[in-house]
Amino acid sequence: QVQLVESGGGSVQAGGSLRLSCAASGGTFGNYVAAWFRQAPGQEREFVAAIWRTGGNTGYSDSVKGRFTISRANMKNTVYLQMMSLKPEDTAVYYCAAGRHILSQFPNPQAGTYAYWGQGTQVTVSS
């Protein structure tokens, strides 16, 4: 059983940056694909980015590609999301997720395929 705890959310002006962290415990983190999702009020949970178990492969949604960077430090059981050039439309609760996926299906944007989730951290971007 993997437990995930996000941190690093907050309020920032448009054009600013934030770095989210997700600390994992209770399992061998390197065995799992890690991902970030987000959910704005009244909207469905949306895939943001994913990183392969070893960190060698990453995938992003078109809406964040070129602005966000996902990374991981398996020795620290932590995954990060560096967010640059933030826009008001990036405002959402951001969730960390982990799942066992095969490389041929990476990155998998379907939330239902991730078994473990954090509680979320709020990111608010003002114009």
Side-chain angles (χ1 to χ4, degrees), residues 13 29 60:
Q13 289 192 330
F29 190 51
Y60 299 90

Side-chain angles (χ1 to χ4, degrees), residues 7-58:
S7 61
S11 298
V12 64
Q13 289 192 330
S17 302
L18 281 175
R19 188 195 198 201
L20 305 183
S21 299
C22 173
S25 62
T28 303
F29 190 51
N31 289 342
Y32 297 88
V33 167
W36 289 94
F37 286 75
R38 66 187 182 186
Q39 188 167 19
Q43 298 187 21
E44 293 187 353
R45 195 163 295 191
E46 173 192 22
F47 171 78
V48 174
I51 187 165
W52 185 246
R53 294 178 292 177
T54 58
N57 295 75
T58 58

